[in-house]
Amino acid sequence: MAFDIELIKEIYAKFPERINTAKKILNKPLTLSEKILYGHLWDASISKAYERGKDYVDFAPDRIACQDATAQMALLQFMQAGKKKVAVPTTVHCDHLIQAKLGADKDLQSALNTSNEVFKFLESVSNKYGIGFWKPGAGIIHQVVLENYAFPGGMMIGTDSHTVNAGGLGMLAIGVGGADAVDVMAGMPWELKFPKLIGVKLTGKLSGWTAPKDVILKVAEILTAKGGTGYIVEYFGEGALHMSCTGKGTICNMGAEIGATTSTFGYDSAMERYLRATDRAAVADAANAIKEHLTGDPEVYQNPEKYFDQVIEINLEELKPLLNGPFTPDLATEAGTEMTSKATENNWPLDVEWGLIGSCTNSSYEDLSRAASIAKQALDKGLQTKANFGINPGSEQVRYTAERDGILEVFEKLDATIFTNACGPCIGQWARYKDPKNAPKNSIVHSFNRNFAKRADGNPNTHAFVASPELVAAIAIAGRLDFNPMTDTLTNAKGEEIRFEEPTGWELPINGFEVKDAGYLAPVKDGSAISIEVDPKSERLQLLTPFTPIGDSIVGAKLLIKAFGKCTTDHISMAGPWLRYRGHLDNISNNCLIGAVNAFNKKTNFVKSQLTGEYDAVPATQRAYKAKGIKTIVIGDHNYGEGSSREHAAMEPRHLGVAAVIVKSFARIHETNLKKQGMLGLTFATESDYDKILEDDTFNFLDLDQFSPGKPLTIEIVHKDGSKDVILTNHTYNKGQIEWYQEGSALNQIKKQNAH
């Protein structure tokens, strides 16, 4: 069934005229990214050419998607906005709160038992405000969106950084914080700095053991974890045309790991096949009618250097299977001898304990079928897996079809555990250890997108490596990190030397997709009579109290923590067991910055209080400052806030009384989240000023009363010995964002506007 087909037809009816107008104003051929951006301006009358990387622009996204962990806070905020119904199509997907432990049925029932309060809250709020609801077990948000909602040329936002997965169907799909989603739900424009553009030209054709996953692993190596910040990555070329839709989705999905605003591909026959296979022939027909507008202009792809800010070319014929990691998604190593050398040099454990296939980036039918082709060879040739094996199907439709076609049975015969259609280990929802903090050093391989320390299992000693599903399957069977299935052999029980043949699979199921209950609940037409109840004593849910403005006078602020090195949203607000508190701001604030490394003692969750001179946990120290009415400052390094879109990483310090975060550079979503919550997100004008910050420092803002666009803020740092440094900090706040700060939050601004 094609959801919102009339809306899609309406968008397509306006698209050609808007694109042609944009071409005239820009006086040049357009990339696909530019077509979608200009085609979704809030002010439909295109009047000027926007400067990439500089101009803030208002957009009108077509739809919103929220996963259950972030939806709680997003909907709690929307409930304050004073609206009766969401202004654009919105869905909520229950995929994050299901822990992988024993297997699909038992784990799903356990989640229903332990998180029923949250699921019922999300279901009732969705029903009240006209939001589509996908039940627990229905699938991972981004796979479900690809199967049901994504469409070529569309623009959507989602409260998860991997919303970008929908680029596999030619969308601009962008991860945001819940406050951004609330703006759009409330019928307001969504603001974004007009992105710069990176073009990735794919030549040749993937074959053998090389998979779409290897394309993005290579791009991550080239651009690093922050090289895509502020950019849309647009893929094109012969290699793109030969790639499946879900393969494109895999590549776009992991664009979040290079900090990209989003990634996309032009509409092609693979996308059309996928639309028709997922019962959306009407969308394919509508797209075909304007298909020249749903990809970049030919001149752009013929001379990409003229139209993109940066161009990368990758020859798929030369690309080798890669493993990226550990602890960062941009450290690439070729399978085999290069891994042997690098692992030995760095003392990475070569024995692999787990191989995991799934997550929103690699849980499609094609992914499972290719991995199953390797598993089938192992069965046929008398091999057994040396590592544990786990599978997370991407959706109930994928799971049901894969079970019907015998794919899951192949994995089960190799003693693989089939987990629920949910994120599971990918986001730390994995009951691998009773005491992960003291768990041993080990290696795992997975097809997920992130591999930060503690990410999957809470164990800081787990070395996680990202690879394609087929390579994960081979390595799980071999039990060795440096196994190269292209050249190496394994010995079966009969003593025979066995070499794997190249993986094979199906782009789409030969007999079509099938599902009995996809897990979707449509909202009632009029939800005004529905009452939303939240128990004041609940540990899981808490109604929000509006933030009060920080004000234009910050003096005597104390240093809470100076974070050393990588500080992702996982470090600022951990997932895993903390997911249970995502709807309770005060309770989840007890994980605020507990993973950040203190630059002064290189420990986590151990900072000095200037009130007592003693060391304590970060949240406890900050709560003591808050009780005394003392504002605090957080200092960070490069790409601060990398990773998930979770706005809790901004809301928690705001709730606890942090006034400003000053860093060398921000990840895009986190910087926006800080702004939305009425905080100061600043960068050092001189990066070396980071080194001037000492453990007992006090901060005085000298010209905050003159806070204005483009004007640096001056800060006096008073050291314990009485000496002082005065530094300049930059910011990217525009006039409207400064108003958010002055009002206390963007939500306060929305409520004020709706009150008139």
Side-chain angles (χ1 to χ4, degrees), residues 242-248 268-274 277 364-367 369-370 504-510 513:
H242 288 299
M243 201 176 292
S244 70
C245 176
T246 51
K248 293 178 172 74
D268 61 13
S269 58
M271 294 185 193
E272 179 182 357
R273 289 194 297 273
Y274 189 75
S364 68
Y365 185 90
E366 180 182 38
D367 290 326
S369 69
R370 284 179 63 84
T504 59
W506 294 271
E507 176 185 354
L508 297 163
I510 295 173
F513 283 109

Side-chain angles (χ1 to χ4, degrees), residues 307-599:
Y307 302 101
F308 291 97
D309 298 287
Q310 183 178 348
V311 177
I312 296 169
E313 184 169 333
I314 298 176
N315 184 342
L316 302 183
E317 309 281 352
E318 298 174 355
L319 188 63
K320 299 291 193 298
L322 298 170
L323 293 107
N324 282 30
F327 308 128
T328 186
D330 56 0
L331 179 59
T333 305
E334 286 187 9
T337 54
E338 185 180 0
M339 177 57 79
T340 305
S341 173
K342 195 179 288 187
T344 303
E345 179 183 347
N346 291 282
N347 198 27
W348 299 338
L350 284 169
D351 288 335
V352 172
E353 295 191 5
W354 271 89
L356 297 156
I357 293 171
S359 96
C360 59
T361 184
N362 276 120
S363 55
S364 68
Y365 185 90
E366 180 182 38
D367 290 326
L368 297 185
S369 69
R370 284 179 63 84
S373 75
I374 303 305
K376 181 68 163 56
Q377 290 183 53
L379 288 172
D380 292 344
K381 296 176 181 180
L383 296 171
Q384 294 182 331
T385 52
K386 298 289 182 60
N388 294 298
F389 209 2
I391 311 292
N392 280 85
S395 69
E396 177 57 15
Q397 180 168 268
V398 165
R399 188 211 66 78
Y400 189 93
T401 307
E403 182 178 57
R404 179 201 68 189
D405 294 347
I407 290 174
L408 297 188
E409 183 182 10
V410 171
F411 291 125
E412 289 172 326
K413 285 182 177 178
L414 274 183
D415 293 327
T417 302
I418 310 298
F419 292 122
T420 314
N421 315 318
C423 304
C426 181
I427 50 129
Q429 284 284 56
W430 187 21
R432 184 184 180 192
Y433 297 112
K434 288 184 178 180
D435 182 14
K437 292 181 180 178
N438 296 311
K441 185 175 180 179
N442 72 103
S443 287
I444 65 174
V445 291
H446 59 57
S447 69
F448 307 160
N449 34 47
R450 295 210 168 122
N451 57 352
F452 304 138
K454 306 181 186 179
R455 172 80 180 186
D457 58 12
N459 177 8
N461 298 313
T462 293
H463 294 54
F465 296 85
V466 182
S468 69
E470 44 267 60
L471 186 57
V472 169
I475 289 176
I477 293 164
R480 291 278 298 181
L481 186 63
D482 57 350
F483 177 70
N484 185 347
M486 295 180 289
T487 58
D488 297 347
T489 60
L490 298 173
T491 305
N492 66 12
K494 297 179 181 179
E496 299 168 334
E497 293 293 310
I498 304 298
R499 179 177 294 172
F500 287 119
E501 297 171 10
E502 293 178 352
T504 59
W506 294 271
E507 176 185 354
L508 297 163
I510 295 173
N511 296 316
F513 283 109
E514 188 177 352
V515 65
K516 283 189 175 179
D517 178 9
Y520 175 70
L521 296 177
V524 296
K525 288 186 177 181
D526 182 4
S528 58
I530 297 173
S531 178
I532 308 299
E533 302 293 337
V534 173
D535 185 348
K537 297 180 181 179
S538 172
E539 293 185 347
R540 302 289 299 273
L541 297 167
Q542 179 188 50
L543 295 176
L544 295 175
T545 301
F547 290 132
T548 57
I550 291 171
D552 62 4
S553 176
I554 299 177
V555 294
K558 303 298 183 183
L559 176 70
L560 173 61
I561 186 171
K562 178 179 177 179
F564 175 78
K566 186 184 285 286
C567 190
T568 71
T569 48
D570 276 358
H571 295 88
I572 305 168
S573 175
M574 288 184 176
W578 290 95
L579 287 173
R580 66 181 283 104
Y581 299 120
R582 283 286 180 86
H584 197 296
L585 181 56
D586 193 58
N587 281 349
I588 199 169
S589 292
N590 288 323
N591 80 359
C592 184
L593 286 157
I594 63 175
V597 177
N598 183 351

Side-chain angles (χ1 to χ4, degrees), residues 135-150:
K135 297 183 294 186
I140 304 172
I141 176 173
H142 311 304
Q143 179 65 30
V144 172
V145 165
L146 198 71
E147 291 175 6
N148 295 277
Y149 298 110

Side-chain angles (χ1 to χ4, degrees), residues 67-90:
Q67 41 94 336
D68 50 353
T70 54
Q72 296 171 63
M73 197 57 68
L75 295 183
L76 284 164
Q77 291 178 89
F78 180 74
M79 288 166 63
Q80 295 189 56
K83 294 290 184 177
K84 294 182 180 180
K85 195 172 183 179
V86 291
V88 301
T90 302

Side-chain angles (χ1 to χ4, degrees), residues 56 69 97 165 203 217 243 258 369 378 586 625 642 669 672 741:
Y56 280 93
L97 298 179
N165 188 80
T203 63
L217 295 180
M243 201 176 292
I258 57 172
S369 69
D586 193 58
Y625 284 130
E642 169 192 350
I669 299 176
T672 301
Y741 176 79

